[in-house]
Amino acid sequence: MVFDFSKYAKTYIPWEDPRDSPVLHHIQPRKVSYYIVEGSRGLEMTASLDPANNQNGSPNGGSNEGNQDGKVYTLNVTRGYDNDGFNKGDGDALGAVMKPPRELTDEEASLQGKFKLSRKEKWRILKNVTIISTAFMIQFTAFQGTANLQSSINAKDGLGTVSLSAVYAALVVSCIFIPTFLIKRLTAKWTLCLSMMCYAPYIGAQFYPKFYTLVPAGVLLGIGAAPMWASKASYLTQVAGVYAKLTDQSVDGIIVRFFGIFFLAWQTAELWGNLISSLVLSNPHGAHGGSSSNGSIETYDSCGANFCVMNLNNNDNLARPDDKEIFEISGIYLSCIVLAVIIIALFVDPLSRYGEKQRRASVVELTGIQLLSATAYQLKKPYQQLLIPITVWIGMEQAFIGADFTQAYVSCALGIPSVGYVMICFGVVNAICSLLFGSVMKYIGRIPIIALGAGIHLALCTWLLLWKPHPSNPILFFVASGLWGVGDAVWQTQINGLYGTLFRRNKEAAFSNYRLWESSGFVIAYAYSTHLCAKMKLYVMLSVLVLGILMYVIVEILHARKVRRQKEKERQAALDEARNRPPEPEETDDEKDDIDDDIIVTHL
């Protein structure tokens, strides 16, 4: 008779003193002797059940002597399982005790296309996310502060808006050709450093603002901006996947949380950049708005939705500040660019630490034309096509608050020195909401947050069409700016996170397309800036926003259906496995990243 001992499959039977084994303790009350031999089924334990022979059992069947019923019970201790504690191939009856399988070295893991990480690595990941966010905050302290003033300090012949249009036009072209190529050549970290340096010439051109200095510098900035944003987004999305693996959390929630941290810091650049400009301009040289508060009603009637660039010379509030003040501001901003690059170069870990090389190991090196095709191929995906209008809207709404709102509402009614203070409100609210929405998303989901942003911007655009700005009610400028910051925080965190979730296998191409269409929104807004009055601009923006929301709703419906199909396939696969049937082949999913299978979590 053979006992089924499968429940003790992994139990170690000590050779020196087998009586200590829980296997033997299980039958101890019933046996009188036992021994272990190499039987026909492998290692077996034979025990006589005769209490009279409790001593000196015979390995040759002698335990059967004196047994009242004449039965000898043999327990198979190897059948149906493998005891990892023994090596049966060394000639010993039981074999020598083996050590547990050793852990892979870094070199061996790398050769197998994997990489090892400790649980403590999550703190290093958070450090890298924080440093990148801080560097971008310093970088855009300079750029945002400069960009917000372009439509006011370089208003003659539309030089400021033309230079900004050149920035984003170059960014559109750069999004198609450069990010994937540059990231493959330099890796994400050094692409960040090189791209961020491209911002320096544009800031330097403020010392001598002409079409032949500002516009070429703007083109260079646009060329560098695309790979900068693509490498940043790729870095955050990649380390978010690793962090989620280390902490056993949802990848979607971690991606949005990391983007929320990033945009918290990034949006505070509005605060610091505008604070610098306002403090410098708030002196007798720049106090043009102080004497105009008693201006005629006709002067303020031309502000707000009725503002047109043709009326520029009729308002003293829009006069250019003194050159010394502009030079001082530009010098501070130029220092910020250099500092941001140094921070990235010295303190950010290369993405190769988190699987950049493993993820690219199977990617064939592409030519320039193939790179263009790879980036353009992303446009064939239905999700990408449906997200184009809302992505264009993101660019348009940022261009409006940074150029049209500051010029048509703030500068026209309050004066150029007030631009910085009003935009500080935008930056502070934007930063707080970016962090808030990034954390709240995992509890309430993405859809309610995007619905909030859409409702706020629809209401604000309608109000700005009706509002008559006047310096007697300065609080309304801050209310409009703050609410616009709430809406912008929604788009920046949720749509970036949505791209990271839907296109995890093709991060660079996806975020290049994001920047492509966001930049298109900037170009469109800046292109008609000098040709349309503020009222028409608001009508155009309302149309794009409504179209973008409708297309986004379709994306969510399609995505929900896809998730349901995947869950049904997983359920069916589990049933097939239980019935020993081969499951259906798994379809390639753009939302899954191969890097999830290449992480070895070490437990120290």
Side-chain angles (χ1 to χ4, degrees):
M1 178 178 180
V2 178
F3 279 77
D4 180 10
F5 243 72
S6 60
K7 67 179 181 177
Y8 292 102
K10 295 297 181 181
T11 302
Y12 173 60
I13 304 176
W15 172 246
E16 294 84 359
D17 190 3
R19 289 171 298 180
D20 290 339
S21 169
V23 178
L24 305 182
H25 290 169
H26 182 72
I27 63 169
Q28 183 73 27
R30 303 178 55 193
K31 67 181 180 61
V32 296
S33 64
Y34 53 83
Y35 51 89
I36 298 175
V37 298
E38 185 75 21
S40 60
R41 292 176 296 273
L43 294 176
E44 298 175 339
M45 179 177 68
T46 303
S48 170
L49 300 183
D50 187 356
N53 291 329
N54 191 31
Q55 310 291 333
N56 303 323
S58 172
N60 297 317
S63 61
N64 196 26
E65 299 176 3
N67 190 352
Q68 295 178 358
D69 55 7
K71 295 180 180 179
V72 174
Y73 292 86
T74 301
L75 309 181
N76 182 11
V77 297
T78 61
R79 182 182 178 187
Y81 65 89
D82 185 20
N83 191 333
D84 293 336
F86 299 94
N87 181 359
K88 309 181 189 67
D90 59 359
D92 191 284
L94 277 179
V97 178
M98 296 173 57
K99 294 182 180 180
R102 68 180 181 84
E103 217 172 62
L104 293 176
T105 65
D106 293 340
E107 293 77 9
E108 291 171 337
S110 179
L111 289 175
Q112 297 181 21
K114 300 179 181 296
F115 57 97
K116 297 172 59 180
L117 292 175
S118 164
R119 291 281 182 184
K120 294 181 179 180
E121 189 69 24
K122 65 181 182 179
W123 301 111
R124 196 175 188 119
I125 292 176
L126 291 176
K127 181 266 294 183
N128 289 320
V129 172
T130 303
I131 291 176
I132 289 178
S133 303
T134 303
F136 268 74
M137 177 195 71
I138 297 172
Q139 172 95 354
F140 280 85
T141 291
F143 178 70
Q144 295 283 30
T146 303
N148 289 338
L149 293 174
Q150 287 305 296
S151 62
S152 300
I153 65 174
N154 293 319
K156 185 179 180 181
D157 299 326
L159 174 58
T161 53
V162 169
S163 68
L164 291 173
S165 182
V167 168
Y168 293 101
L171 183 54
V172 170
V173 178
S174 177
C175 284
I176 300 175
F177 289 97
I178 296 180
T180 308
F181 173 83
L182 202 59
I183 292 172
K184 287 181 181 296
R185 291 292 188 276
L186 302 180
T187 71
K189 173 181 175 177
W190 297 110
T191 298
L192 273 175
C193 293
L194 179 63
S195 301
M196 293 171 78
M197 278 303 298
C198 293
Y199 281 66
Y202 186 78
I203 307 298
Q206 303 300 320
F207 290 96
Y208 191 72
K210 301 291 182 182
F211 276 95
Y212 55 83
T213 59
L214 267 183
V215 175
V219 171
L220 179 62
L221 190 155
I223 291 174
M228 182 193 71
W229 283 103
S231 57
K232 178 274 303 179
S234 179
Y235 194 105
L236 291 186
T237 306
Q238 175 104 349
V239 298
V242 176
Y243 187 90
K245 183 84 172 182
L246 293 171
T247 58
D248 299 323
Q249 298 185 54
S250 168
V251 177
D252 295 356
I254 297 298
I255 289 175
V256 173
R257 188 187 306 173
F258 280 7
F259 275 108
I261 294 172
F262 172 81
F263 283 110
L264 166 67
W266 184 72
Q267 293 296 356
T268 59
E270 287 282 352
L271 188 159
W272 309 118
N274 290 301
L275 182 61
I276 291 171
S277 64
S278 295
L279 291 176
V280 173
L281 293 174
S282 296
N283 57 61
H285 293 290
H288 297 286
S291 61
S292 61
S293 60
N294 297 321
S296 64
I297 299 299
E298 295 179 358
T299 300
Y300 300 120
D301 283 343
S302 64
C303 298
N306 296 326
F307 180 85
C308 297
V309 178
M310 292 73 74
N311 301 330
L312 195 63
N313 296 326
N314 298 331
N315 194 326
D316 293 337
N317 285 342
L318 299 172
R320 176 182 168 88
D322 187 79
D323 285 345
K324 292 182 179 179
E325 299 166 6
I326 296 177
F327 294 166
E328 183 179 350
I329 294 172
S330 299
I332 297 172
Y333 290 162
L334 195 58
S335 302
C336 291
I337 299 293
V338 176
L339 177 60
V341 175
I342 292 175
I343 290 175
I344 292 290
L346 296 182
F347 301 110
V348 172
D349 292 320
L351 193 56
S352 58
R353 183 183 182 90
Y354 304 108
E356 185 178 33
K357 294 179 181 178
Q358 285 81 353
R359 187 163 59 90
R360 301 182 188 282
S362 60
V363 178
V364 179
E365 202 66 31
L366 303 177
T367 65
I369 299 300
Q370 288 174 324
L371 288 170
L372 171 61
S373 300
T375 304
Y377 181 77
Q378 179 74 13
L379 293 173
K380 293 184 178 180
K381 299 178 179 178
Y383 286 166
Q384 181 64 72
Q385 295 170 358
L386 291 170
L387 289 174
I388 288 175
I390 197 66
T391 311
V392 171
W393 154 257
I394 295 175
M396 294 180 68
E397 59 93 3
Q398 290 180 79
F400 179 85
I401 191 67
D404 296 316
F405 179 77
T406 56
Q407 184 182 39
Y409 290 83
V410 183
S411 295
C412 183
L414 300 179
I416 294 176
S418 299
V419 170
Y421 294 118
V422 173
M423 294 304 292
I424 285 174
C425 180
F426 169 82
V428 170
V429 174
N430 202 326
I432 295 173
C433 290
S434 293
L435 180 62
L436 177 63
F437 295 150
S439 302
V440 169
M441 182 265 183
K442 63 181 180 181
Y443 299 110
I444 65 175
R446 178 173 53 241
I447 297 177
I449 298 176
I450 291 184
L452 173 65
I456 288 175
H457 268 138
L458 285 171
L460 268 177
C461 288
T462 304
W463 178 51
L464 291 175
L465 284 169
L466 305 175
W467 178 38
K468 304 293 184 182
H470 193 275
S472 61
N473 293 313
I475 189 64
L476 295 180
F477 296 89
F478 292 91
V479 170
S481 177
L483 288 176
W484 202 278
V486 175
D488 184 67
V490 170
W491 309 122
Q492 295 289 356
T493 57
Q494 303 306 310
I495 302 302
N496 269 282
L498 181 61
Y499 269 77
T501 298
L502 296 179
F503 309 114
R504 292 184 62 206
R505 283 187 184 267
N506 299 281
K507 299 180 185 69
E508 288 88 354
F511 285 110
S512 291
N513 273 272
Y514 176 87
R515 285 297 157 188
L516 166 67
W517 296 109
E518 183 191 41
S519 301
S520 299
F522 276 103
V523 172
I524 293 170
Y526 288 134
Y528 63 55
S529 180
T530 57
H531 302 286
L532 296 180
C533 294
K535 182 178 295 185
M536 289 305 300
K537 296 174 186 177
L538 288 167
Y539 284 135
V540 172
M541 291 180 61
L542 278 170
S543 302
V544 175
L545 175 57
V546 171
L547 177 62
I549 293 171
L550 292 176
M551 296 297 100
Y552 163 75
V553 170
I554 295 176
V555 169
E556 289 289 0
I557 293 173
L558 294 177
H559 183 55
R561 291 178 179 176
K562 181 178 180 180
V563 170
R564 284 198 297 269
R565 288 198 304 268
Q566 289 176 341
K567 288 183 178 179
E568 180 61 27
K569 285 185 177 181
E570 291 174 359
R571 188 186 68 82
Q572 189 62 41
L575 293 176
D576 291 341
E577 184 178 357
R579 300 169 184 168
N580 295 323
R581 286 166 46 190
E584 296 182 12
E586 182 180 358
E587 64 178 83
T588 301
D589 190 354
D590 216 15
E591 299 172 33
K592 293 183 178 179
D593 194 349
D594 293 332
I595 202 68
D596 294 342
D597 301 325
D598 295 337
I599 302 173
I600 302 174
V601 180
T602 61
H603 303 268
L604 303 181

